[in-house]
Amino acid sequence: MGWIEVQNRRSFVTWASDTHRLAAPPMLGHARPANPRRSSSEASSRMALRLVGDATSETAGSVAEVMEGNVAGDARHTGNDRLAGRRIHVARPSGGARYGVAMRIGLVCPYSLTLPGGVQSQVLGLARELRLRGHEARVLGPCDGPPPEPFVTPLGNSVPTAVNGSIAPLAPDPACALRTIRALRDEDFDVIHAHEPLAPGPTLTTVFYRPAPMVGTFHAAGDSLTYKLMRPATAATAARLDVRCAVSEDARELAHRYLGGEYTMLFNGVEVTRYQRGEPTKADGPTIFFCSRHEPRKGLSVLLAALARLPADVRLWVASDGPETAELKLAHAGDPRIEWLGRISEDEKIARWRGASVFCAPSLHGESFGVILLESMAARTPIVASDLDGYRKVARPGVDALLVPPGDPDALAGAIRQVLEAPELAQRLVDAGAARAGEFSMAALAVRYEEIYERLVAEGRRPSTGWAAGVRRIGSRMLSPR
């Protein structure tokens, strides 16, 4: 174990067992110009070093966390740096090493972070992993209640909006736009990562304002009426992104069809360790778990019809809610086997996953990538799902999951019965799924994005010009004290 002491713009590495110091290690990136809104001492603290990779000497390691309040500063150093003298706990692995700059990374989400959703879980999970890697990652997005994590900056409430056959909790109001601009000014990020960058609300505002190099990740698949009707404007806006990523070939095809450009193919990640460590909820007999929004394309009505074809001892846990909730609860009010859980926390979701006998994802269409299947695999729960292209990108039929034709309650019930009545099959699906989830770990995804961020920071920011620069000036004037 060792410590990195950050003092002004020089970093000293000291192990508990020695006094090795490295006065000027090689660094990725470069010193950024001081923000005129920040003091010079604050700006100088931005050069905190991060040691990554494997060690080649006793002075190398990787940052685990910043030990807040554990200060060992030297009063003789000039400046009052925010990180001056602060000790950063590092672990010392074995092998070779390289040095990188600990970055301030802003991840922007267009959807309410207090409501369940695939994009939200990706943004929060990526932020957690980047923070574990020593970066100062913060998430900006709407919140309909207390922020789900300490590193989240809430931008106001969301408004239910029809998008891609679903109801998305977006925040396209002017008040949210001003909060977004203020947060971007105050945080002064090294690099910004917008998920669904052209969605109305914080991400679109961020692309217009563009205070730092930007990465945009496209998640949606299928078709987009907004892209179609506003094609010239959306294509010009997307051109402001320095790097475009897509989570699947379907998402890339949709974005490229209307926006053009080149896309880096990545994937959605899953926090494998987090799902493996959850304490299972005790189930009273064979239990199916459903955890998606209650809307037509998610196929809950098909699963409820399949339940009627299964033995009387089979139970169903239904998490989340949506526009179909009231109607479906009324239609199945007399069935004691169904437990309507409503919105549940991430911890309870993992516990239910771990305690269920089988997870069911009966979606009818509109799935670009089966991240929810990866979560089930990480939780070591066998899967029965619809045979959709998006799900096939994750689950190999008959290997990691049983896939059935979408909208067919008989086929769905038959596959669920197979898993419940054949322990060997269930275990085989669990073992294969756990290995498959490891291929899509959030840790591996964070490394891929980190490489992109470091390259953009090293290249430096590109100044805004034209009408977009005008947006920045207007936003700054509106927020400046009079």
Side-chain angles (χ1 to χ4, degrees):
M1 293 296 181
W3 305 94
I4 301 176
E5 297 181 2
V6 184
Q7 299 174 338
N8 299 322
R9 289 181 183 269
R10 296 166 69 84
S11 292
F12 301 82
V13 181
T14 305
W15 295 106
S17 59
D18 59 48
T19 57
H20 260 66
R21 293 196 169 193
L22 184 63
M27 297 158 61
L28 298 178
H30 58 294
R32 298 173 53 214
N35 186 331
R37 296 185 302 275
R38 292 179 180 269
S39 67
S40 60
S41 62
E42 282 185 294
S44 67
S45 71
R46 301 297 301 281
M47 297 306 297
L49 284 187
R50 181 176 55 85
L51 293 171
V52 297
D54 296 325
T56 51
S57 73
E58 59 185 355
T59 60
S62 60
V63 170
E65 59 181 319
V66 175
M67 307 297 289
E68 297 289 348
N70 190 357
V71 177
D74 187 336
R76 293 173 297 175
H77 282 272
T78 59
N80 232 352
D81 290 352
R82 195 156 41 103
L83 293 179
R86 180 165 296 168
R87 289 181 172 183
I88 303 176
H89 190 204
V90 296
R92 175 167 40 178
S94 58
R98 65 188 180 92
Y99 290 94
V101 177
M103 295 172 284
R104 286 178 61 83
I105 303 166
L107 295 100
V108 189
C109 180
Y111 308 125
S112 176
L113 295 162
T114 54
L115 300 177
V119 175
Q120 297 95 308
S121 67
Q122 288 300 298
V123 173
L124 292 170
L126 180 57
R128 281 189 287 263
E129 193 63 41
L130 289 169
R131 291 174 72 87
L132 286 175
R133 294 182 62 79
H135 299 292
E136 194 172 344
R138 292 199 62 83
V139 175
L140 280 58
C143 288
D144 297 278
E149 294 281 0
F151 53 77
V152 170
T153 298
L155 302 175
N157 295 330
S158 66
V159 178
T161 308
V163 178
N164 193 32
S166 180
I167 303 298
L170 295 168
D173 56 289
C176 180
L178 291 176
R179 292 188 192 101
T180 302
I181 294 171
R182 182 183 295 277
L184 293 171
R185 288 183 60 198
D186 291 346
E187 293 290 351
D188 192 26
F189 294 115
D190 294 304
V191 63
I192 296 172
H193 187 173
H195 290 254
E196 292 295 14
L198 302 189
T203 50
L204 187 58
T205 299
T206 300
V207 176
F208 284 156
Y209 190 64
R210 199 190 177 284
M214 286 199 63
V215 179
T217 294
F218 294 82
H219 295 259
D223 207 350
S224 170
L225 185 61
T226 301
Y227 288 178
K228 185 181 298 183
L229 297 179
M230 303 181 67
R231 186 169 186 171
T234 52
T237 304
R240 294 180 56 73
L241 297 168
D242 295 288
V243 175
R244 309 184 201 188
C245 301
V247 301
S248 68
E249 182 57 37
D250 292 338
R252 189 207 67 81
E253 194 279 329
L254 170 62
H256 187 268
R257 188 192 324 157
Y258 294 112
L259 308 176
E262 298 298 322
Y263 297 81
T264 299
M265 294 297 298
L266 292 178
F267 53 89
N268 282 321
V270 60
E271 297 174 273
V272 177
T273 303
R274 190 178 184 202
Y275 280 83
Q276 290 176 342
R277 291 178 178 174
E279 188 66 28
T281 298
K282 183 174 175 55
D284 297 324
T287 303
I288 307 165
F289 183 41
F290 173 90
C291 185
S292 290
R293 186 168 171 78
H294 304 176
E295 58 191 18
R297 76 180 183 95
K298 293 297 185 178
L300 177 56
S301 60
V302 179
L303 174 56
L304 291 168
L307 181 64
R309 296 161 168 78
L310 293 170
D313 65 336
V314 176
R315 302 286 187 266
L316 173 62
W317 289 335
V318 180
S320 192
D321 57 15
E324 287 192 316
T325 303
E327 178 185 347
L328 292 175
K329 288 179 76 172
L330 181 62
H332 298 272
D335 194 337
R337 300 179 298 168
I338 305 171
E339 185 176 353
W340 301 87
L341 305 173
R343 296 179 186 176
I344 58 177
S345 68
E346 283 295 306
D347 288 341
E348 183 178 357
K349 182 178 75 171
I350 294 171
R352 295 280 180 175
W353 239 312
R354 299 271 292 159
S357 308
V358 59
F359 173 71
C360 188
S363 294
L364 304 180
H365 59 84
E367 303 291 351
S368 69
F369 189 92
V371 67
I372 199 166
L373 304 191
L374 287 176
E375 292 173 326
S376 187
M377 293 175 189
R380 301 190 63 83
T381 302
I383 300 166
V384 173
S386 297
D387 192 357
L388 301 177
D389 289 342
Y391 285 168
R392 276 179 170 261
K393 291 177 173 62
V394 171
R396 296 162 293 186
V399 178
D400 311 300
L402 298 187
L403 303 183
V404 301
D408 187 339
D410 289 321
L412 190 63
I416 292 172
R417 186 190 293 268
Q418 275 185 270
V419 173
L420 294 179
E421 295 180 354
E424 300 85 0
L425 170 63
Q427 190 59 50
R428 190 170 73 246
L429 294 175
V430 164
D431 293 340
R436 184 69 166 164
E439 299 174 16
F440 294 88
S441 72
M442 189 65 74
L445 180 62
V447 171
R448 295 286 303 278
Y449 275 122
E450 185 182 61
E451 292 169 352
I452 295 172
Y453 302 155
E454 287 181 340
R455 174 166 57 83
L456 291 179
V457 170
E459 292 171 356
R461 68 176 69 185
R462 182 180 61 197
S464 297
T465 58
W467 60 270
V471 171
R472 294 186 62 195
R473 288 194 295 271
I474 292 171
S476 297
R477 288 171 184 170
M478 293 178 70
L479 293 172
S480 297
R482 297 182 182 276

